Amino acid sequence: MTRRRSHQAITTIVALTLLVGACARRPTPEPSPTYPPYTPPPEGSVAPRVIQRTPERGEELPPDGRIELVFDRAMDRSSVETALQVGPGVSGSFEWADGRTVRFKPGRHLKRDQEYLVTVDAQAKAADGESLDGAYRFDFRTVGYLEVSQVVPAA
């Protein structure tokens, strides 16, 4: 009989442990903030898009290079110039090749072997008044320093 009671006691303890574990409050993780916050476009609208960029993914930009964005339609120049940011802390000037193509020329040479982040905030608007569907972001790296990769003749 004592064996049966000890078996019942163990079963009860295991069941209670599982029940308490299931009822325990676990902290919910904080959602990661989006920068800038996402604002969906109005129903029935078609947001403008970036269809080409320079530098392309994986391409390094020379320190005296320019960043170029091509949109799928003509854009409101002042809203794009206000919304476009290059960080950390890069200021510069804008040049428009046409209504769809903007070039950003940094005011001074970018640092070598440095990573930069380009953001076009959702406040950028097309000439027809439609806003971007959220922020457009990409990062790029500038060309690094020269390094010896091979010595001829080998040691």
Side-chain angles (χ1 to χ4, degrees):
M1 196 69 142
T2 58
R3 190 173 191 186
R4 187 173 190 191
R5 277 196 173 189
S6 65
H7 183 50
Q8 285 178 338
I10 291 173
T11 305
T12 305
I13 291 171
V14 169
L16 285 173
T17 304
L18 291 174
L19 183 62
V20 169
C23 294
R25 295 188 113 205
R26 293 186 182 120
T28 56
E30 290 290 321
S32 58
T34 57
Y35 176 75
Y38 175 73
T39 306
E43 188 89 14
S45 65
V46 177
R49 297 179 341 148
V50 175
I51 58 172
Q52 185 178 339
R53 72 172 205 218
T54 302
E56 293 182 16
R57 174 176 273 152
E59 181 182 8
E60 292 180 328
L61 189 70
D64 62 344
R66 296 176 185 208
I67 298 163
E68 181 178 280
L69 300 175
V70 180
F71 294 89
D72 66 345
R73 65 181 95 168
M75 298 297 287
D76 174 50
R77 293 178 183 201
S78 63
S79 70
V80 172
E81 291 174 8
T82 303
L84 195 143
Q85 299 171 355
V86 180
V90 178
S91 60
S93 59
F94 296 92
E95 175 185 302
W96 289 83
D98 55 39
R100 299 176 11 178
T101 307
V102 62
R103 293 184 186 110
F104 176 79
K105 172 73 173 151
R108 55 189 164 95
H109 289 310
L110 300 172
K111 293 180 182 176
R112 285 187 174 271
D113 196 27
Q114 176 81 27
E115 190 166 316
Y116 290 94
L117 175 67
V118 177
T119 303
V120 181
D121 199 341
Q123 30 182 314
K125 297 180 189 255
D128 61 9
E130 299 292 338
S131 297
L132 287 180
D133 183 13
Y136 177 78
R137 279 181 257 172
F138 69 94
D139 58 351
F140 68 92
R141 190 163 205 83
T142 52
V143 174
Y145 297 97
L146 293 176
E147 296 178 13
V148 176
S149 62
Q150 184 178 17
V151 177
V152 177

